[in-house]
Amino acid sequence: MYIGFNSTLRQGFITHHEYIQVGKGHDTGMNQISLYEAKDAIGNGEQTLSRDVYRLGQRFDFYRMLSFYFTTVGFYFSSMITVLTVYVFLYGRIYVVLSGVEREILQNRNIHQSKTLEEALATQSIVQLGLLLVLPMVMEIGLEKGFRTALGDFIIMQLQLASVFFTFQLGTKAHYYGRTLLHGGSKYRPTGRGFVVFHATFADNYRRYSRSHFVKGLEILILLIVYEVYGSSYRSSHLYLFITISMWFLATSWLFAPFLFNPYGFDWQKTVDDWTDWKRWMGNRGGIGISPHKSWEFWWDEENDHLKYSNLRGKILEIILAFRFFVYQYGIVYHMDITHHNKDLLVFGLSWAALIIIFILLKASQMVSLKRQRIGTDFNLMFRILKALRFLGFLAVMTVLFVVYGLTISDLLAAIISFMPSGWAIILIAQTFKVCLKGSQLWDSVKELSRAYEYVMGLIIFLPIVILSWVPHASECQTRLLFNEAFSRGLQISMILAGKWAAYKSD
């Protein structure tokens, strides 16, 4: 690629030859395709940072610059901007809702009676569904095979969840391209060329897509929930559905697409085995020579390696991006019943004091558990007394908060929504200072806190899989609906062979 850039800078010409009868192996599995998309996104991120692309942009005319943009880094830059637009819109709406600006706007009679903005938003919501991107494909198939065939192919693609697949790949491009722009770190990623007819475990999917899709999908999901709970501008109309339906679709696609396109994704026995394997992986403390596929701790360290080699600019930008998670705590605590509508800054300070106390109690509980494991069974009675005293103290504090200060159940739910993102922001900021904190007791606390968050994320994602695994014939319907006839036949044959092999071993 860079040879071509240098030749073009020197006003050279490059010929391109195409051969019809040259074959090449293509990726056939969801995980292989995602790895390939990640590799391409990282490569285009490195091209964007290179001096060759900068010099070409300085020398091209406008029309040739457009051609260069859309055939190289422009596609990935547009994907990143598309995702960032969703974040900017949702965080902007959350600020308007939680700051009270929306309430002031609704109290203005002139603005409240205006329907122009609602009609404009309802119209552009059709574009949000991506229908304009479908039109070129429909027109191409229609001109070649007829518009009835084009319409039928479009319906089949939607039934096979093609929109879910390409929405998921949008997140892959945006994540790896954006991370490369911030920190660099391009490396070779092997994808393989095998015919994929095997089941990827939950732990494998979690390792591949935790940072690129699951974390971001849960973040968008929390933003939409907060917007729905505290927003009031569109409660009486269907405009909320028109505006946010594409964002709900984006979040659910990022969270569950790897399991929808996973063979035997909803097989009950596979689900039980996946849960056992994931718990073993999460609980493995690791050791010398342990691979990231065997231990969560080694995977966590490897996942943060890009920060080790990042420059000062990348780390500062990483910290600034992490500060967005504090918006929840700053806005939600003022809407809790226990504050009695007090808008003083002291309320925010007390919320931080409560968060620090929670972290201290969790650390103390962890230390007591470790002491109990090291000491053995000689002091079991003492540890049980300490556990009982801790429970009684917690019960007494909650009773005082409910009876004296007016704490409600909704306040507890609001506290969870506001404090959980703040804890994740603390983890992200601590990871940027890994060089300074590694080896200290504070770094061990950050690691255990991150492990707790991983457990919660895994449970949230795994619960719908368990529910669908309970549904009769869900696995067979998934196989028939999502895969072609040859692939489905291969899955059925492999299931029969697996059953015969299990019966042979039992005999």
Side-chain angles (χ1 to χ4, degrees):
M1 181 65 74
Y2 291 110
I3 297 175
F5 289 164
N6 290 326
S7 176
T8 305
L9 285 170
R10 293 175 173 84
Q11 298 182 353
F13 295 94
I14 300 173
T15 60
H16 177 71
H17 302 276
E18 290 188 357
Y19 300 91
I20 298 177
Q21 295 182 350
V22 172
K24 186 177 185 297
H26 293 282
D27 303 304
T28 55
M30 176 82 173
N31 294 333
Q32 286 181 320
I33 295 174
S34 297
L35 287 173
Y36 179 77
E37 293 286 355
K39 183 168 63 175
D40 276 359
I42 292 173
N44 279 270
E46 291 290 348
Q47 289 182 38
T48 307
L49 298 174
S50 67
R51 65 185 71 180
D52 301 281
V53 172
Y54 172 77
R55 290 170 178 171
L56 287 173
Q58 293 290 318
R59 289 164 173 79
F60 278 161
D61 59 80
F62 178 73
Y63 297 102
R64 198 174 183 188
M65 186 64 210
L66 285 180
S67 175
F68 174 74
Y69 175 80
F70 285 105
T71 54
T72 54
V73 300
F75 174 68
Y76 293 89
F77 184 77
S78 300
S79 300
M80 185 183 67
I81 293 298
T82 302
V83 176
L84 289 178
T85 303
V86 176
Y87 279 96
V88 171
F89 174 79
L90 285 177
Y91 274 103
R93 291 297 306 174
I94 290 298
Y95 173 77
V96 170
V97 168
L98 297 179
S99 64
V101 175
E102 184 186 55
R103 184 174 60 253
E104 295 295 331
I105 292 175
L106 292 177
Q107 290 176 356
N108 191 326
R109 186 175 302 174
N110 295 328
I111 298 178
H112 183 60
Q113 291 179 353
S114 177
K115 298 294 182 181
T116 306
L117 179 61
E118 294 187 8
E119 293 174 356
L121 290 175
T123 303
Q124 62 92 30
S125 64
I126 303 298
V127 182
Q128 281 185 341
L129 296 176
L131 295 181
L132 286 180
L133 299 177
V134 176
L135 288 179
M137 180 197 69
V138 174
M139 292 297 296
E140 180 180 358
I141 299 176
L143 292 175
E144 293 179 355
K145 302 180 180 179
F147 286 99
R148 180 181 298 179
T149 304
L151 182 61
D153 290 345
F154 173 74
I155 295 174
I156 291 174
M157 289 179 186
Q158 302 311 309
L159 292 176
Q160 292 180 337
L161 303 182
S163 299
V164 176
F165 179 84
F166 289 107
T167 303
F168 186 84
Q169 297 305 329
L170 172 68
T172 303
K173 301 182 186 73
H175 171 77
Y176 287 101
Y177 180 77
R179 196 176 75 173
T180 305
L181 291 183
L182 283 178
H183 309 291
S186 177
K187 64 179 181 180
Y188 176 72
R189 293 175 177 267
T191 59
R193 287 290 185 266
F195 184 68
V196 183
V197 197
F198 65 89
H199 171 80
T201 63
F202 180 80
D204 287 336
N205 286 326
Y206 191 86
R207 285 190 292 267
R208 288 188 179 98
Y209 307 119
S210 174
R211 296 299 182 265
S212 60
H213 295 84
F214 295 160
V215 172
K216 294 179 173 59
L218 287 174
E219 181 184 357
I220 295 176
L221 204 62
I222 293 174
L223 285 169
L224 291 169
I225 292 174
V226 174
Y227 180 34
E228 169 66 17
V229 172
Y230 294 98
S232 58
S233 58
Y234 305 129
R235 289 277 177 84
S236 60
S237 65
H238 299 288
L239 191 57
Y240 171 82
L241 179 63
F242 282 112
I243 293 176
T244 61
I245 186 172
S246 59
M247 300 174 193
W248 283 102
F249 181 78
L250 177 70
T252 53
S253 298
W254 285 2
L255 289 175
F256 303 112
F259 312 104
L260 289 175
F261 293 97
N262 187 20
Y264 309 126
F266 305 127
D267 181 75
W268 175 250
Q269 187 57 46
K270 295 288 186 181
T271 303
V272 174
D273 295 339
D274 287 353
W275 174 252
T276 304
D277 177 68
W278 184 71
K279 283 202 307 180
R280 186 189 305 113
W281 175 70
M282 288 292 299
N284 192 353
R285 296 286 174 176
I288 298 176
I290 301 297
S291 66
H293 297 278
K294 301 294 183 181
S295 171
W296 172 86
E297 288 190 7
F298 278 81
W299 169 82
W300 190 68
D301 290 333
E302 186 184 69
E303 197 67 23
N304 300 322
D305 278 345
H306 63 279
L307 295 173
K308 185 190 304 183
Y309 307 104
S310 180
N311 54 17
L312 182 62
R313 175 188 62 86
K315 292 183 178 180
I316 292 175
L317 290 175
E318 189 75 22
I319 294 173
I320 293 174
L321 290 175
F323 268 88
R324 72 183 186 271
F325 292 103
F326 295 124
V327 173
Y328 301 90
Q329 182 180 349
Y330 182 73
I332 293 176
V333 292
Y334 291 104
H335 291 265
M336 297 171 65
D337 297 330
I338 195 174
T339 60
H340 302 292
H341 304 288
N342 186 0
K343 303 300 181 183
D344 195 355
L345 190 61
L346 181 62
V347 175
F348 185 61
L350 290 175
S351 69
W352 269 104
L355 184 62
I356 293 173
I357 291 173
I358 292 173
F359 286 157
I360 293 175
L361 292 176
L362 291 175
K363 181 62 179 177
S365 176
Q366 177 194 354
M367 293 178 64
V368 169
S369 300
L370 292 176
K371 288 287 186 181
R372 184 177 181 180
Q373 293 175 2
R374 292 175 182 175
I375 293 176
T377 59
D378 297 334
F379 297 91
N380 275 340
L381 180 60
M382 182 184 69
F383 284 115
R384 290 178 181 177
I385 293 174
L386 287 176
K387 186 181 291 186
L389 291 175
R390 185 178 61 188
F391 175 74
L392 291 175
F394 173 77
L395 194 62
V397 171
M398 295 304 296
T399 303
V400 171
L401 291 176
F402 272 100
V403 176
V404 179
Y405 293 99
L407 185 70
T408 59
I409 300 297
S410 61
D411 287 346
L412 290 178
L413 298 176
I416 294 174
I417 296 177
S418 61
F419 289 156
M420 290 289 285
S422 297
W424 185 253
I426 293 173
I427 293 174
L428 295 178
I429 294 173
Q431 287 173 353
T432 59
F433 297 99
K434 178 181 178 180
V435 178
C436 303
L437 298 176
K438 191 173 183 179
S440 64
Q441 191 173 4
L442 182 59
W443 180 252
D444 295 335
S445 301
V446 171
K447 183 179 294 186
E448 292 304 320
L449 181 62
S450 181
R451 188 195 301 271
Y453 272 83
E454 303 282 359
Y455 267 117
V456 173
M457 285 193 296
L459 288 173
I460 293 174
I461 298 170
F462 198 77
L463 183 60
I465 301 174
V466 174
I467 295 175
L468 288 174
S469 298
W470 280 340
V471 177
H473 306 293
S475 181
E476 290 80 0
C477 292
Q478 176 207 19
T479 303
R480 291 292 183 181
L481 186 64
L482 297 181
F483 305 112
N484 58 41
E485 185 177 354
F487 196 89
S488 302
R489 190 183 301 115
L491 289 178
Q492 299 298 327
I493 293 173
S494 63
M495 185 183 300
I496 294 172
L497 293 177
K500 288 184 177 180
W501 176 248
Y504 174 77
K505 289 197 299 181
S506 63
D507 292 339

